[in-house]
Amino acid sequence: EVQLVQSGAEVKKPGESLRISCKGSGYSFSSYWISWVRQMPGKGLEWMGRIDPSDSYTNYSPSFQGHVTISADRSISTAYLQWSSLKASDTAMYYCARHEGRYTSGLTWGQGTLVTVSS
Amino acid sequence: QSVLTQPPSASGTPGQRVTISCSGSSSNIGSHTVNWYQQLPGTAPKLLIYSNNQRPSGVPDRFSGSKSGTSASLAISGLQSEDEADYYCAAWDDSLNGVVFGGGTKLTVL
């Protein structure tokens, strides 16, 4: 069974750094792109960017370029989303999702990681 | 200001048929397949319809999808109370080189 298991909820202060993770299992991790999607409280889904774990190629939505970094470690089948300096506006649920094919929006989702940034 | 346009809300009574529209452009729906997601309260989105009109195993045939040109729609027949959820359309976008979503439609079963 294909599964994406994300790390647990985080509570951080503005200016702090953070890395959350997404571990894939039940499939060949390198063979499928991973995207990250933000959902702010009470709002819709926003695509942040994606990574091809086979070569670590990334591309980002202009809305998130420069604010987050997406990476992956094929050896442990894990993708990451990280911030160097969090803001209160980063408070949201973050989902990782596996693309079912290249250049497709068909996604299998992780359970989500809630990030709360508050002083 | 989502790239794909959906109505913010829809409603129906048990047993009715409802449809949710999704409008895009030539760089997304016009060039790529559309997928639909159901998000129940407090849960992650779940793939409901893929490749415009295909249902993953386990999804009831009450749910159906269609696409024409740069628009798509999701139809739910025989509406049930457990269908109350948020529904999102999505497509790959060549201009963004990424995934675009609709703003979501909140379905209420009256």
Side-chain angles (χ1 to χ4, degrees), chain A residues 18-114:
Chain A
L18 174 65
R19 188 177 76 168
I20 61 175
S21 66
C22 167
K23 183 174 176 60
S25 63
Y27 72 99
S28 173
F29 183 75
S30 295
S31 299
Y32 294 83
W33 297 352
I34 295 285
S35 275
W36 287 91
V37 176
R38 182 176 78 173
Q39 187 168 39
M40 298 179 77
K43 302 298 184 182
L45 306 172
E46 301 173 88
W47 182 78
M48 301 174 71
R50 62 99 176 169
I51 187 166
D52 183 341
S54 69
D55 60 6
S56 290
Y57 174 82
T58 55
N59 72 285
Y60 297 87
S61 164
S63 298
F64 294 93
Q65 179 83 48
H67 298 293
V68 296
T69 301
I70 296 171
S71 60
D73 185 339
R74 289 181 298 171
S75 68
I76 55 172
S77 301
T78 300
Y80 301 98
L81 177 66
Q82 66 182 65
W83 296 259
S84 59
S85 181
L86 287 160
K87 304 175 184 177
S89 57
D90 293 317
T91 294
M93 182 70 81
Y94 293 87
Y95 295 101
C96 66
R98 185 188 90 158
H99 286 252
E100 294 310 305
R102 293 173 177 260
Y103 306 105
T104 178
S105 61
L107 304 169
T108 298
W109 301 71
Q111 85 276 19
T113 296
L114 180 62

Side-chain angles (χ1 to χ4, degrees), chain B residues 43-106:
Chain B
T43 69
K46 165 192 157 186
L47 185 62
L48 190 67
I49 297 287
Y50 69 96
S51 296
N52 303 327
N53 55 18
Q54 303 298 302
R55 286 185 307 277
S57 61
V59 173
D61 60 6
R62 303 185 295 104
F63 295 90
S64 62
S66 64
K67 171 186 151 177
S68 177
T70 59
S71 295
S73 63
L74 172 71
I76 309 171
S77 60
L79 201 60
Q80 300 181 4
S81 58
E82 56 260 40
D83 298 334
E84 197 160 274
D86 293 324
Y87 293 85
Y88 295 90
C89 58
W92 187 266
D93 187 281
D94 291 329
S95 299
L96 177 64
N97 195 22
V99 178
V100 290
F101 291 100
T105 298
K106 184 175 184 62

Side-chain angles (χ1 to χ4, degrees), chain B residues 15-34:
Chain B
Q16 271 192 330
R17 182 178 189 271
V18 298
T19 60
I20 297 171
S21 62
C22 175
S23 178
S25 68
S26 58
S27 65
N28 41 68
I29 294 178
S31 304
H32 297 278
T33 60
V34 175

